[in-house]
Amino acid sequence: MIGIVDYGMGNLHSVSKALERMDMPYFLSADPAELEKADGLILPGVGAFRDAMGILNETGLALFLRNWANEGKPLLGICLGMQLLFESSEEHGLTTGLGLLPGRVERFSGVGDSGQTYKVPHMGWNKLKFHKESLLLRGVEEGHVYFVHSYVVKTDDKNVLLATSDYGRVVPAVVGRENVLGTQFHPEKSSTVGMAILKNYGAYVERGAIARG
């Protein structure tokens, strides 16, 4: 069973509908005691990093999510939810994140490495480029997925970059280390590629639940 973390800033409807279409059991909750009963979690997110971390800290969800991840349990962040997995963000001032993955979140500059300009936010379909084998990407094609974001992760640890895209710069698109995973794009809005990624996550969660008996 997948628990979707409902902290008031997530794309809950689209994520829920995607899981329903694949017959993947889930529930929504903002209560750590309820979420503890899940086999795997999805942390969605739409909005500002500082606001999101404020809510997670105030409700005790930040501590819960750190403990959950440190216990080796599956966690998937989507869009802002992926950015929250990292150490900090400069959005509306420096804000500390969950610190589960190394790196920081910074705003797209609007000027590429070769001096070309591009629109911010990064909105629309863009192609993935795979870098490492991952349970999320197993059997998935390097197709196009749907992005909507003005801020982007920067990390010096290439080991957490499972797939990237290009938009004026390299965009970490799928990240992960062991049980902590994330997608900058919206898999639930990314047609067959995104649905395959969600299906892979669901299978990973199910395998863990079976192993734990």
Side-chain angles (χ1 to χ4, degrees):
M1 177 79 74
I2 291 175
I4 302 176
V5 184
D6 180 6
Y7 62 106
M9 294 186 64
N11 45 316
L12 302 179
H13 179 75
S14 59
V15 173
S16 299
K17 288 301 181 184
L19 298 184
E20 287 177 11
R21 288 198 297 272
M22 293 184 290
D23 294 320
M24 293 168 56
Y26 74 93
F27 66 93
L28 299 159
S29 181
D31 182 358
E34 287 295 318
L35 291 167
E36 184 67 45
K37 300 173 184 177
D39 300 303
L41 296 180
I42 292 178
L43 178 64
V46 175
F49 190 104
R50 171 166 282 193
D51 293 341
M53 280 306 305
I55 294 170
L56 293 179
N57 285 321
E58 289 169 7
T59 58
L61 283 166
L63 178 60
F64 166 74
L65 289 168
R66 290 187 182 104
N67 290 338
W68 173 279
N70 289 333
E71 290 171 6
K73 298 177 182 179
L75 173 61
L76 174 67
I78 294 176
C79 197
L80 174 61
M82 184 201 96
Q83 295 179 2
L84 295 170
L85 301 177
F86 287 84
E87 294 167 308
S88 65
S89 172
E90 67 178 28
E91 187 174 6
H92 303 314
L94 185 64
T95 303
T96 300
L98 293 172
L100 300 173
L101 295 174
R104 66 184 185 276
V105 181
E106 59 186 30
R107 184 171 173 82
F108 277 114
S109 67
V111 180
D113 296 334
S114 60
Q116 79 279 19
T117 60
Y118 56 90
K119 293 182 179 179
V120 178
H122 174 202
M123 182 181 297
W125 295 84
N126 214 333
K127 190 173 183 180
L128 295 177
K129 179 181 180 181
F130 295 173
H131 295 279
K132 294 184 66 179
E133 290 186 3
S134 166
L135 60 92
L136 279 187
L137 303 177
R138 191 169 298 150
V140 180
E141 295 182 2
E142 287 186 326
H144 287 73
V145 291
Y146 188 75
F147 292 86
V148 183
H149 61 123
S150 298
Y151 287 78
V152 60
V153 167
K154 181 176 179 59
T155 179
D156 294 325
D157 188 344
K158 305 305 181 186
N159 290 322
V160 303
L161 297 180
L162 307 180
T164 59
S165 189
D166 291 310
Y167 189 71
R169 57 180 286 174
V170 174
V171 176
V174 184
V175 299
R177 185 170 60 190
E178 298 177 348
N179 57 302
V180 178
L181 304 158
T183 65
Q184 178 62 73
F185 56 90
H186 289 273
E188 77 282 4
K189 297 179 179 180
S190 296
S191 191
T192 55
V193 175
M195 296 299 277
I197 287 172
L198 283 177
K199 185 176 181 180
N200 281 342
Y201 181 67
Y204 167 53
V205 170
E206 185 177 3
R207 286 195 301 272
I210 292 171
R212 290 190 296 272

